[in-house]
Amino acid sequence: MEIIDLTIHELHEKLKAKEVSSVEATRAMLDRIEAVDGQVNAYITVTPEQALVEAEAADKRIAAGDIAPLTGIPVGLKDIFVTKGIRTTCGSRILENFVPPYDGTAVAKLKEQGAVIVGKLNQDEFAMGSSNESSYFGPVKNPWNLECTPGGSSGGSAAAIAARTATATLGTDTGGSIRQPASHCSCVGLKPTYGRVSRYGVIAYASSLDQVGPLTRDVTDAALLLGAIAGHDPKDSTSVNTTVPDYVAGLATGVKGLKIGLPKQYFIEGLDPDVKRAMDEAIALYKSLGAEMREVSLPHTEYAVATYYLIATAEASSNLARYDGVRFGHRAADARGLKEMFAKTRAEGFGSEVKRRIMLGTYALSSGYYDAYYVKAQKVRTLIMQDFLNAFNEVDVLLTPIAPTPPFKIGEKLADPLQMYLSDIFTIPVNLAGTCGISIPAGFSAAGLPIGLQLIGKPFGEATILSTAYAFEKETQWHLKKAPL
């Protein structure tokens, strides 16, 4: 097996046994990026010099007997994470040349363990999108079929795993932006409970919905990476001060006697036949492993997309007000006066999807509409949250599809934003409820495109969804299939 094919835990064992060095692993990854990323476009910025310096430092640390689970492991970061001395664009022209003076908390935790950052990954502009087509730096292509999208907004993070140009990556999930790309690229993607991982140093889209999480080759790696980045952070007032369990130690718990809920609102008419087949096979497998299946109801699911696009756009319109050409980022030239400079800077700096969401959010927050739209959306959000809590009184985990279809063609939904928004119908409710969810590979369509399975857990129930996912992965081995790149 080549170095680029190894998981975090496999490469860790080889580094520990000194069968391979971090410098060798990092060079192999950088060579792979150079060889295939021209086709995939998963990276916005590659940092070879800095990566090799970090790899050399990791090798010295290992030689001294000081090795953590991520020491010497080459990782990629979605370009939404603030990274000291490394350009951070958030996929936007307005931040095209922004170089932050500090590291965000998740990045700092990776560096503390000695991880090697090989570059910053492409994404939808300001994490607004479901296909990675809104990036100023061009669309990311799906390594399983270069004519298809990898999903979004963390499309680069998922495509880098499938293309084997990073051992693991970090992404963010506001309405499915880790889980949906993981499904479309046949990798593991975990959205933790809101507050489990610090958002300090993550460029904000919708602050009450954004959450940081790992994208990896297998469930064990997801458990390792989550354990490394989770925990209370006084720099983030929404970070929850609760114990972080040993996620890896609990993976082999098994599912015998586990009660798995099947929300009837997620198994609907119009579900792609290949997706339905994959779900049926997953349900049958869990039954054979001793899990108990129960139908449950999440009655307010039909309002989730509308609720999300009111709350998320309202928060985005507020968060993106800071990009005005004054403090950092792009500034329009030849503006006559301050107001014109503001207007021209934002007109030039933001893409069409970001502008659309700012306008929607500004409208929802405007005088006369605030109560009718934003306040009502917050009330419905509470009902959606209650639906999940009621369901978890009956079951331990929920099993659902991730997306109604396998990956779609690049350009297929660009002319119809509503159809694009509906592609997140099965992932958005988890963010509104603030709970945790994981996407794991569950098979392929007749055309050979990946299909993912979603497991949703109780708040701070990451250990349960990880062990449930691990049981499925061990039996199916879908995660071992490689993209034909």
Side-chain angles (χ1 to χ4, degrees), residues 77-81 90 106 123-124 126-128 152-155 157 169-179 181 190-192 198-199 201-203 205 209-215 431:
L77 302 173
K78 184 178 182 177
D79 207 18
I80 202 167
F81 292 95
C90 216
Q123 60 168 85
D124 280 299
F126 283 98
M128 298 180 191
S153 64
S154 306
S157 299
T169 64
L170 287 186
T172 60
D173 192 310
T174 307
S177 290
I178 287 173
R179 290 160 290 147
L190 173 63
K191 180 246 174 245
S198 173
R199 293 183 299 109
V202 177
I203 294 171
Y205 160 24
L209 298 162
D210 300 341
Q211 190 52 217
V212 175
L215 293 99
N431 298 79

Side-chain angles (χ1 to χ4, degrees), residues 226-269:
L226 177 61
I229 61 174
H232 180 246
D233 177 17
K235 293 175 181 172
D236 175 6
S237 61
T238 63
S239 168
V240 178
N241 193 357
T242 186
T243 307
V244 178
D246 184 340
Y247 295 114
V248 177
L251 286 177
T253 306
V255 296
K256 191 172 178 61
L258 191 78
K259 294 190 278 291
I260 298 178
L262 306 173
K264 62 183 180 182
Q265 290 83 1
Y266 286 60
F267 294 88
I268 52 174
E269 290 294 320

